[in-house]
Amino acid sequence: MSDVWVDEWLGTARFARYVDACSGDRARALQLYEWNVQAGQALMHDIAHFEVALRNAYDAAISARWRSRTHWLLDAESPAVVPIWRTKTVKGMKRGADVNTLTRKSVDSAIARCGSAKATSGKVIAEMTLGFWRQLTTNAMEKTVWVPYLHRAFPPGTQRSEVDRAIERVNALRNRIAHHEPISTQSGSVDAEQVHREMLALLRGIAPQVHEHLTATSTVAIVFARRP
């Protein structure tokens, strides 16, 4: 029986990646695709819990030391929106650049979606993406966000660079899953299991009880054990 419908459904180029991973066995390739979807669903469950814990831990860490009555995300002096100027070399020429441009646009867009002047901090926080929260631990945010605020959300001695690297990898994995890309190392992509372990390690530091709950409810290990 012809399985041309699989190529028509998934696209020849997309399915070919799974066929190659299965040494040309198209039946096994389809099984691998189905497993990839199941693995993505299991990972997204855990990433969703991690993201909510992360954003609330960040909000608590900043809010506890924010001196204005206006919430830090809605304040004009927020470290997430004020210009942060750095010198960059572009084609051999030094130029000043505002490295906070993307975060400012993200915050402004979220506020607009939440009703502009009527926006509440809770709604705006829920609108911010994982990519936004990751930006708060980049090197550019070391002095304005990490040192005065965010390092307090983690155990003493936690390195900003390690946190940033781990969250960047989690965000990249999340985006791969959202775009239905392969996550199996056997298909030549990201080491999802390693990223998952790094994510759990971060979660243990910022929210131990959430970590305990997540490890009890996660199905990632079960799904990965069933990899074709």
Side-chain angles (χ1 to χ4, degrees), residues 22 27-43 183-184 186 193 217-228:
C22 294
R28 286 179 56 209
L30 186 56
Q31 292 177 352
L32 180 61
Y33 182 84
E34 286 294 342
W35 172 85
N36 192 80
V37 173
Q38 294 169 12
Q41 292 172 338
L43 286 164
I183 57 176
S184 167
Q186 292 181 355
E193 291 178 283
T217 57
S218 174
T219 61
V220 169
I222 297 173
V223 172
F224 270 83
R226 295 202 302 257
R227 185 193 345 237

PDB file of all heavy atoms in Angstrom, residues 22 27-43 183-184 186 193 217-228:
ATOM      1  N   CYS A  22      16.238   6.757  10.164  1.00  0.00           N
ATOM      2  CA  CYS A  22      15.853   5.345  10.271  1.00  0.00           C
ATOM      3  C   CYS A  22      16.414   4.522   9.120  1.00  0.00           C
ATOM      4  O   CYS A  22      15.867   3.462   8.774  1.00  0.00           O
ATOM      5  CB  CYS A  22      14.323   5.229  10.304  1.00  0.00           C
ATOM      6  SG  CYS A  22      13.583   5.955  11.771  1.00  0.00           S
ATOM      7  N   ALA A  27       8.452   3.092   7.467  1.00  0.00           N
ATOM      8  CA  ALA A  27       7.510   2.720   8.528  1.00  0.00           C
ATOM      9  C   ALA A  27       8.070   3.124   9.895  1.00  0.00           C
ATOM     10  O   ALA A  27       7.367   3.694  10.734  1.00  0.00           O
ATOM     11  CB  ALA A  27       7.231   1.222   8.483  1.00  0.00           C
ATOM     12  N   ARG A  28       9.340   2.827  10.085  1.00  0.00           N
ATOM     13  CA  ARG A  28       9.989   3.224  11.345  1.00  0.00           C
ATOM     14  C   ARG A  28      10.086   4.743  11.444  1.00  0.00           C
ATOM     15  O   ARG A  28       9.986   5.311  12.532  1.00  0.00           O
ATOM     16  CB  ARG A  28      11.381   2.606  11.436  1.00  0.00           C
ATOM     17  CG  ARG A  28      11.384   1.111  11.734  1.00  0.00           C
ATOM     18  CD  ARG A  28      12.808   0.579  11.782  1.00  0.00           C
ATOM     19  NE  ARG A  28      13.612   1.309  12.763  1.00  0.00           N
ATOM     20  CZ  ARG A  28      14.926   1.490  12.671  1.00  0.00           C
ATOM     21  NH1 ARG A  28      15.577   1.024  11.623  1.00  0.00           N
ATOM     22  NH2 ARG A  28      15.581   2.135  13.606  1.00  0.00           N
ATOM     23  N   ALA A  29      10.277   5.391  10.295  1.00  0.00           N
ATOM     24  CA  ALA A  29      10.373   6.847  10.275  1.00  0.00           C
ATOM     25  C   ALA A  29       9.071   7.483  10.770  1.00  0.00           C
ATOM     26  O   ALA A  29       9.086   8.469  11.513  1.00  0.00           O
ATOM     27  CB  ALA A  29      10.705   7.343   8.875  1.00  0.00           C
ATOM     28  N   LEU A  30       7.944   6.905  10.367  1.00  0.00           N
ATOM     29  CA  LEU A  30       6.656   7.437  10.812  1.00  0.00           C
ATOM     30  C   LEU A  30       6.478   7.210  12.315  1.00  0.00           C
ATOM     31  O   LEU A  30       5.926   8.061  13.026  1.00  0.00           O
ATOM     32  CB  LEU A  30       5.514   6.773  10.035  1.00  0.00           C
ATOM     33  CG  LEU A  30       4.110   7.334  10.307  1.00  0.00           C
ATOM     34  CD1 LEU A  30       4.066   8.843  10.039  1.00  0.00           C
ATOM     35  CD2 LEU A  30       3.069   6.609   9.455  1.00  0.00           C
ATOM     36  N   GLN A  31       6.957   6.072  12.801  1.00  0.00           N
ATOM     37  CA  GLN A  31       6.918   5.811  14.245  1.00  0.00           C
ATOM     38  C   GLN A  31       7.771   6.834  14.994  1.00  0.00           C
ATOM     39  O   GLN A  31       7.377   7.331  16.060  1.00  0.00           O
ATOM     40  CB  GLN A  31       7.420   4.398  14.539  1.00  0.00           C
ATOM     41  CG  GLN A  31       6.516   3.293  14.038  1.00  0.00           C
ATOM     42  CD  GLN A  31       7.113   1.915  14.300  1.00  0.00           C
ATOM     43  OE1 GLN A  31       8.261   1.781  14.724  1.00  0.00           O
ATOM     44  NE2 GLN A  31       6.330   0.876  14.027  1.00  0.00           N
ATOM     45  N   LEU A  32       8.928   7.152  14.428  1.00  0.00           N
ATOM     46  CA  LEU A  32       9.808   8.130  15.055  1.00  0.00           C
ATOM     47  C   LEU A  32       9.155   9.505  15.070  1.00  0.00           C
ATOM     48  O   LEU A  32       9.275  10.242  16.052  1.00  0.00           O
ATOM     49  CB  LEU A  32      11.142   8.195  14.320  1.00  0.00           C
ATOM     50  CG  LEU A  32      12.173   9.197  14.878  1.00  0.00           C
ATOM     51  CD1 LEU A  32      12.545   8.852  16.314  1.00  0.00           C
ATOM     52  CD2 LEU A  32      13.426   9.219  14.001  1.00  0.00           C
ATOM     53  N   TYR A  33       8.448   9.842  13.997  1.00  0.00           N
ATOM     54  CA  TYR A  33       7.754  11.128  13.949  1.00  0.00           C
ATOM     55  C   TYR A  33       6.699  11.202  15.043  1.00  0.00           C
ATOM     56  O   TYR A  33       6.570  12.215  15.741  1.00  0.00           O
ATOM     57  CB  TYR A  33       7.106  11.343  12.582  1.00  0.00           C
ATOM     58  CG  TYR A  33       6.416  12.681  12.473  1.00  0.00           C
ATOM     59  CD1 TYR A  33       7.130  13.832  12.142  1.00  0.00           C
ATOM     60  CD2 TYR A  33       5.047  12.798  12.731  1.00  0.00           C
ATOM     61  CE1 TYR A  33       6.504  15.071  12.075  1.00  0.00           C
ATOM     62  CE2 TYR A  33       4.414  14.027  12.664  1.00  0.00           C
ATOM     63  CZ  TYR A  33       5.141  15.162  12.336  1.00  0.00           C
ATOM     64  OH  TYR A  33       4.518  16.384  12.278  1.00  0.00           O
ATOM     65  N   GLU A  34       5.935  10.117  15.185  1.00  0.00           N
ATOM     66  CA  GLU A  34       4.897  10.086  16.222  1.00  0.00           C
ATOM     67  C   GLU A  34       5.520  10.204  17.609  1.00  0.00           C
ATOM     68  O   GLU A  34       5.005  10.902  18.479  1.00  0.00           O
ATOM     69  CB  GLU A  34       4.078   8.796  16.118  1.00  0.00           C
ATOM     70  CG  GLU A  34       3.106   8.760  14.956  1.00  0.00           C
ATOM     71  CD  GLU A  34       1.997   9.787  15.092  1.00  0.00           C
ATOM     72  OE1 GLU A  34       1.768  10.297  16.207  1.00  0.00           O
ATOM     73  OE2 GLU A  34       1.353  10.103  14.073  1.00  0.00           O
ATOM     74  N   TRP A  35       6.644   9.514  17.805  1.00  0.00           N
ATOM     75  CA  TRP A  35       7.327   9.617  19.094  1.00  0.00           C
ATOM     76  C   TRP A  35       7.816  11.047  19.328  1.00  0.00           C
ATOM     77  O   TRP A  35       7.736  11.565  20.443  1.00  0.00           O
ATOM     78  CB  TRP A  35       8.521   8.664  19.142  1.00  0.00           C
ATOM     79  CG  TRP A  35       9.343   8.879  20.378  1.00  0.00           C
ATOM     80  CD1 TRP A  35       9.134   8.331  21.605  1.00  0.00           C
ATOM     81  CD2 TRP A  35      10.478   9.750  20.510  1.00  0.00           C
ATOM     82  NE1 TRP A  35      10.071   8.799  22.501  1.00  0.00           N
ATOM     83  CE2 TRP A  35      10.895   9.669  21.862  1.00  0.00           C
ATOM     84  CE3 TRP A  35      11.166  10.575  19.633  1.00  0.00           C
ATOM     85  CZ2 TRP A  35      11.991  10.394  22.342  1.00  0.00           C
ATOM     86  CZ3 TRP A  35      12.255  11.300  20.115  1.00  0.00           C
ATOM     87  CH2 TRP A  35      12.651  11.207  21.446  1.00  0.00           C
ATOM     88  N   ASN A  36       8.304  11.689  18.289  1.00  0.00           N
ATOM     89  CA  ASN A  36       8.801  13.058  18.399  1.00  0.00           C
ATOM     90  C   ASN A  36       7.692  13.999  18.881  1.00  0.00           C
ATOM     91  O   ASN A  36       7.927  14.890  19.711  1.00  0.00           O
ATOM     92  CB  ASN A  36       9.319  13.533  17.039  1.00  0.00           C
ATOM     93  CG  ASN A  36      10.116  14.814  17.133  1.00  0.00           C
ATOM     94  OD1 ASN A  36      11.298  14.795  17.494  1.00  0.00           O
ATOM     95  ND2 ASN A  36       9.484  15.935  16.809  1.00  0.00           N
ATOM     96  N   VAL A  37       6.484  13.794  18.370  1.00  0.00           N
ATOM     97  CA  VAL A  37       5.339  14.606  18.793  1.00  0.00           C
ATOM     98  C   VAL A  37       5.027  14.346  20.272  1.00  0.00           C
ATOM     99  O   VAL A  37       4.797  15.274  21.055  1.00  0.00           O
ATOM    100  CB  VAL A  37       4.101  14.310  17.931  1.00  0.00           C
ATOM    101  CG1 VAL A  37       2.872  15.033  18.484  1.00  0.00           C
ATOM    102  CG2 VAL A  37       4.343  14.727  16.482  1.00  0.00           C
ATOM    103  N   GLN A  38       5.024  13.074  20.669  1.00  0.00           N
ATOM    104  CA  GLN A  38       4.744  12.721  22.059  1.00  0.00           C
ATOM    105  C   GLN A  38       5.808  13.283  22.997  1.00  0.00           C
ATOM    106  O   GLN A  38       5.495  13.797  24.081  1.00  0.00           O
ATOM    107  CB  GLN A  38       4.674  11.201  22.205  1.00  0.00           C
ATOM    108  CG  GLN A  38       3.514  10.562  21.470  1.00  0.00           C
ATOM    109  CD  GLN A  38       3.615   9.052  21.410  1.00  0.00           C
ATOM    110  OE1 GLN A  38       4.437   8.442  22.100  1.00  0.00           O
ATOM    111  NE2 GLN A  38       2.801   8.432  20.567  1.00  0.00           N
ATOM    112  N   ALA A  39       7.077  13.213  22.568  1.00  0.00           N
ATOM    113  CA  ALA A  39       8.163  13.745  23.380  1.00  0.00           C
ATOM    114  C   ALA A  39       8.025  15.259  23.521  1.00  0.00           C
ATOM    115  O   ALA A  39       8.250  15.822  24.595  1.00  0.00           O
ATOM    116  CB  ALA A  39       9.513  13.393  22.757  1.00  0.00           C
ATOM    117  N   GLY A  40       7.636  15.913  22.434  1.00  0.00           N
ATOM    118  CA  GLY A  40       7.439  17.352  22.474  1.00  0.00           C
ATOM    119  C   GLY A  40       6.335  17.744  23.440  1.00  0.00           C
ATOM    120  O   GLY A  40       6.467  18.714  24.197  1.00  0.00           O
ATOM    121  N   GLN A  41       5.257  16.984  23.446  1.00  0.00           N
ATOM    122  CA  GLN A  41       4.144  17.266  24.350  1.00  0.00           C
ATOM    123  C   GLN A  41       4.575  17.106  25.807  1.00  0.00           C
ATOM    124  O   GLN A  41       4.226  17.924  26.663  1.00  0.00           O
ATOM    125  CB  GLN A  41       2.973  16.335  24.041  1.00  0.00           C
ATOM    126  CG  GLN A  41       2.311  16.612  22.693  1.00  0.00           C
ATOM    127  CD  GLN A  41       1.286  15.561  22.311  1.00  0.00           C
ATOM    128  OE1 GLN A  41       1.312  14.422  22.810  1.00  0.00           O
ATOM    129  NE2 GLN A  41       0.371  15.914  21.432  1.00  0.00           N
ATOM    130  N   ALA A  42       5.332  16.047  26.078  1.00  0.00           N
ATOM    131  CA  ALA A  42       5.810  15.810  27.446  1.00  0.00           C
ATOM    132  C   ALA A  42       6.756  16.920  27.892  1.00  0.00           C
ATOM    133  O   ALA A  42       6.675  17.413  29.025  1.00  0.00           O
ATOM    134  CB  ALA A  42       6.511  14.453  27.523  1.00  0.00           C
ATOM    135  N   LEU A  43       7.644  17.324  27.002  1.00  0.00           N
ATOM    136  CA  LEU A  43       8.592  18.393  27.322  1.00  0.00           C
ATOM    137  C   LEU A  43       7.880  19.726  27.514  1.00  0.00           C
ATOM    138  O   LEU A  43       8.215  20.502  28.419  1.00  0.00           O
ATOM    139  CB  LEU A  43       9.633  18.511  26.218  1.00  0.00           C
ATOM    140  CG  LEU A  43      10.690  17.409  26.174  1.00  0.00           C
ATOM    141  CD1 LEU A  43      11.418  17.400  24.835  1.00  0.00           C
ATOM    142  CD2 LEU A  43      11.703  17.585  27.322  1.00  0.00           C
ATOM    143  N   ILE A 183      13.341  16.699  17.701  1.00  0.00           N
ATOM    144  CA  ILE A 183      14.065  16.936  18.947  1.00  0.00           C
ATOM    145  C   ILE A 183      14.912  15.738  19.346  1.00  0.00           C
ATOM    146  O   ILE A 183      15.650  15.784  20.318  1.00  0.00           O
ATOM    147  CB  ILE A 183      13.101  17.275  20.100  1.00  0.00           C
ATOM    148  CG1 ILE A 183      12.074  16.155  20.297  1.00  0.00           C
ATOM    149  CG2 ILE A 183      12.406  18.596  19.845  1.00  0.00           C
ATOM    150  CD1 ILE A 183      11.158  16.375  21.478  1.00  0.00           C
ATOM    151  N   SER A 184      14.822  14.678  18.579  1.00  0.00           N
ATOM    152  CA  SER A 184      15.607  13.482  18.866  1.00  0.00           C
ATOM    153  C   SER A 184      17.057  13.689  18.463  1.00  0.00           C
ATOM    154  O   SER A 184      17.348  14.157  17.369  1.00  0.00           O
ATOM    155  CB  SER A 184      15.038  12.286  18.106  1.00  0.00           C
ATOM    156  OG  SER A 184      15.935  11.203  18.121  1.00  0.00           O
ATOM    157  N   GLN A 186      18.994  11.451  17.698  1.00  0.00           N
ATOM    158  CA  GLN A 186      19.254  10.516  16.602  1.00  0.00           C
ATOM    159  C   GLN A 186      18.905  11.129  15.251  1.00  0.00           C
ATOM    160  O   GLN A 186      19.339  10.650  14.221  1.00  0.00           O
ATOM    161  CB  GLN A 186      18.451   9.219  16.815  1.00  0.00           C
ATOM    162  CG  GLN A 186      18.939   8.413  18.007  1.00  0.00           C
ATOM    163  CD  GLN A 186      18.151   7.129  18.186  1.00  0.00           C
ATOM    164  OE1 GLN A 186      17.180   6.881  17.482  1.00  0.00           O
ATOM    165  NE2 GLN A 186      18.563   6.304  19.121  1.00  0.00           N
ATOM    166  N   GLU A 193      17.160  15.752  26.300  1.00  0.00           N
ATOM    167  CA  GLU A 193      17.254  15.211  27.654  1.00  0.00           C
ATOM    168  C   GLU A 193      18.218  16.032  28.511  1.00  0.00           C
ATOM    169  O   GLU A 193      17.958  16.286  29.691  1.00  0.00           O
ATOM    170  CB  GLU A 193      17.687  13.749  27.603  1.00  0.00           C
ATOM    171  CG  GLU A 193      16.630  12.822  27.030  1.00  0.00           C
ATOM    172  CD  GLU A 193      17.101  11.381  26.955  1.00  0.00           C
ATOM    173  OE1 GLU A 193      17.879  11.072  26.033  1.00  0.00           O
ATOM    174  OE2 GLU A 193      16.696  10.576  27.813  1.00  0.00           O
ATOM    175  N   THR A 217       5.223  14.567  38.380  1.00  0.00           N
ATOM    176  CA  THR A 217       4.182  14.553  37.348  1.00  0.00           C
ATOM    177  C   THR A 217       4.733  14.477  35.921  1.00  0.00           C
ATOM    178  O   THR A 217       3.983  14.233  34.985  1.00  0.00           O
ATOM    179  CB  THR A 217       3.293  15.808  37.458  1.00  0.00           C
ATOM    180  OG1 THR A 217       4.115  16.982  37.346  1.00  0.00           O
ATOM    181  CG2 THR A 217       2.565  15.839  38.795  1.00  0.00           C
ATOM    182  N   SER A 218       6.030  14.647  35.761  1.00  0.00           N
ATOM    183  CA  SER A 218       6.622  14.633  34.427  1.00  0.00           C
ATOM    184  C   SER A 218       6.574  13.244  33.800  1.00  0.00           C
ATOM    185  O   SER A 218       6.757  12.233  34.476  1.00  0.00           O
ATOM    186  CB  SER A 218       8.085  15.098  34.506  1.00  0.00           C
ATOM    187  OG  SER A 218       8.719  14.963  33.242  1.00  0.00           O
ATOM    188  N   THR A 219       6.335  13.214  32.503  1.00  0.00           N
ATOM    189  CA  THR A 219       6.340  11.951  31.767  1.00  0.00           C
ATOM    190  C   THR A 219       7.507  11.889  30.768  1.00  0.00           C
ATOM    191  O   THR A 219       7.574  10.981  29.941  1.00  0.00           O
ATOM    192  CB  THR A 219       5.020  11.757  30.993  1.00  0.00           C
ATOM    193  OG1 THR A 219       4.860  12.834  30.047  1.00  0.00           O
ATOM    194  CG2 THR A 219       3.841  11.724  31.936  1.00  0.00           C
ATOM    195  N   VAL A 220       8.413  12.858  30.870  1.00  0.00           N
ATOM    196  CA  VAL A 220       9.529  12.930  29.914  1.00  0.00           C
ATOM    197  C   VAL A 220      10.370  11.660  29.927  1.00  0.00           C
ATOM    198  O   VAL A 220      10.688  11.098  28.877  1.00  0.00           O
ATOM    199  CB  VAL A 220      10.417  14.172  30.204  1.00  0.00           C
ATOM    200  CG1 VAL A 220      11.717  14.099  29.405  1.00  0.00           C
ATOM    201  CG2 VAL A 220       9.660  15.442  29.843  1.00  0.00           C
ATOM    202  N   ALA A 221      10.747  11.188  31.097  1.00  0.00           N
ATOM    203  CA  ALA A 221      11.595   9.990  31.185  1.00  0.00           C
ATOM    204  C   ALA A 221      10.883   8.779  30.584  1.00  0.00           C
ATOM    205  O   ALA A 221      11.503   7.948  29.891  1.00  0.00           O
ATOM    206  CB  ALA A 221      11.955   9.710  32.636  1.00  0.00           C
ATOM    207  N   ILE A 222       9.581   8.668  30.828  1.00  0.00           N
ATOM    208  CA  ILE A 222       8.808   7.541  30.298  1.00  0.00           C
ATOM    209  C   ILE A 222       8.769   7.578  28.780  1.00  0.00           C
ATOM    210  O   ILE A 222       8.985   6.562  28.101  1.00  0.00           O
ATOM    211  CB  ILE A 222       7.379   7.565  30.872  1.00  0.00           C
ATOM    212  CG1 ILE A 222       7.401   7.389  32.390  1.00  0.00           C
ATOM    213  CG2 ILE A 222       6.507   6.500  30.211  1.00  0.00           C
ATOM    214  CD1 ILE A 222       6.051   7.574  33.055  1.00  0.00           C
ATOM    215  N   VAL A 223       8.499   8.760  28.232  1.00  0.00           N
ATOM    216  CA  VAL A 223       8.398   8.900  26.783  1.00  0.00           C
ATOM    217  C   VAL A 223       9.748   8.657  26.121  1.00  0.00           C
ATOM    218  O   VAL A 223       9.832   7.979  25.093  1.00  0.00           O
ATOM    219  CB  VAL A 223       7.850  10.300  26.413  1.00  0.00           C
ATOM    220  CG1 VAL A 223       7.919  10.514  24.909  1.00  0.00           C
ATOM    221  CG2 VAL A 223       6.414  10.455  26.905  1.00  0.00           C
ATOM    222  N   PHE A 224      10.815   9.183  26.700  1.00  0.00           N
ATOM    223  CA  PHE A 224      12.126   8.999  26.096  1.00  0.00           C
ATOM    224  C   PHE A 224      12.578   7.533  26.160  1.00  0.00           C
ATOM    225  O   PHE A 224      13.341   7.083  25.296  1.00  0.00           O
ATOM    226  CB  PHE A 224      13.154   9.899  26.750  1.00  0.00           C
ATOM    227  CG  PHE A 224      13.258  11.245  26.062  1.00  0.00           C
ATOM    228  CD1 PHE A 224      12.380  12.268  26.347  1.00  0.00           C
ATOM    229  CD2 PHE A 224      14.238  11.472  25.102  1.00  0.00           C
ATOM    230  CE1 PHE A 224      12.454  13.478  25.710  1.00  0.00           C
ATOM    231  CE2 PHE A 224      14.329  12.686  24.441  1.00  0.00           C
ATOM    232  CZ  PHE A 224      13.432  13.697  24.745  1.00  0.00           C
ATOM    233  N   ALA A 225      12.099   6.808  27.135  1.00  0.00           N
ATOM    234  CA  ALA A 225      12.437   5.391  27.230  1.00  0.00           C
ATOM    235  C   ALA A 225      11.756   4.592  26.115  1.00  0.00           C
ATOM    236  O   ALA A 225      12.183   3.477  25.805  1.00  0.00           O
ATOM    237  CB  ALA A 225      12.030   4.837  28.595  1.00  0.00           C
ATOM    238  N   ARG A 226      10.719   5.167  25.531  1.00  0.00           N
ATOM    239  CA  ARG A 226       9.976   4.490  24.456  1.00  0.00           C
ATOM    240  C   ARG A 226      10.433   4.954  23.062  1.00  0.00           C
ATOM    241  O   ARG A 226       9.772   4.634  22.076  1.00  0.00           O
ATOM    242  CB  ARG A 226       8.472   4.766  24.586  1.00  0.00           C
ATOM    243  CG  ARG A 226       7.837   4.197  25.839  1.00  0.00           C
ATOM    244  CD  ARG A 226       6.329   4.038  25.651  1.00  0.00           C
ATOM    245  NE  ARG A 226       5.697   5.316  25.311  1.00  0.00           N
ATOM    246  CZ  ARG A 226       4.996   6.052  26.169  1.00  0.00           C
ATOM    247  NH1 ARG A 226       4.867   5.669  27.428  1.00  0.00           N
ATOM    248  NH2 ARG A 226       4.435   7.181  25.778  1.00  0.00           N
ATOM    249  N   ARG A 227      11.555   5.660  22.993  1.00  0.00           N
ATOM    250  CA  ARG A 227      12.012   6.135  21.703  1.00  0.00           C
ATOM    251  C   ARG A 227      12.223   4.959  20.744  1.00  0.00           C
ATOM    252  O   ARG A 227      12.882   3.989  21.084  1.00  0.00           O
ATOM    253  CB  ARG A 227      13.342   6.889  21.857  1.00  0.00           C
ATOM    254  CG  ARG A 227      13.773   7.506  20.539  1.00  0.00           C
ATOM    255  CD  ARG A 227      15.203   8.015  20.487  1.00  0.00           C
ATOM    256  NE  ARG A 227      15.897   8.180  21.725  1.00  0.00           N
ATOM    257  CZ  ARG A 227      16.438   9.323  22.138  1.00  0.00           C
ATOM    258  NH1 ARG A 227      16.320  10.415  21.414  1.00  0.00           N
ATOM    259  NH2 ARG A 227      17.098   9.386  23.269  1.00  0.00           N
ATOM    260  N   PRO A 228      11.656   5.019  19.520  1.00  0.00           N
ATOM    261  CA  PRO A 228      11.803   3.905  18.569  1.00  0.00           C
ATOM    262  C   PRO A 228      13.271   3.661  18.229  1.00  0.00           C
ATOM    263  O   PRO A 228      14.050   4.605  18.156  1.00  0.00           O
ATOM    264  CB  PRO A 228      11.038   4.409  17.332  1.00  0.00           C
ATOM    265  CG  PRO A 228      10.080   5.430  17.871  1.00  0.00           C
ATOM    266  CD  PRO A 228      10.798   6.087  19.012  1.00  0.00           C
TER     267      PRO A 228
END
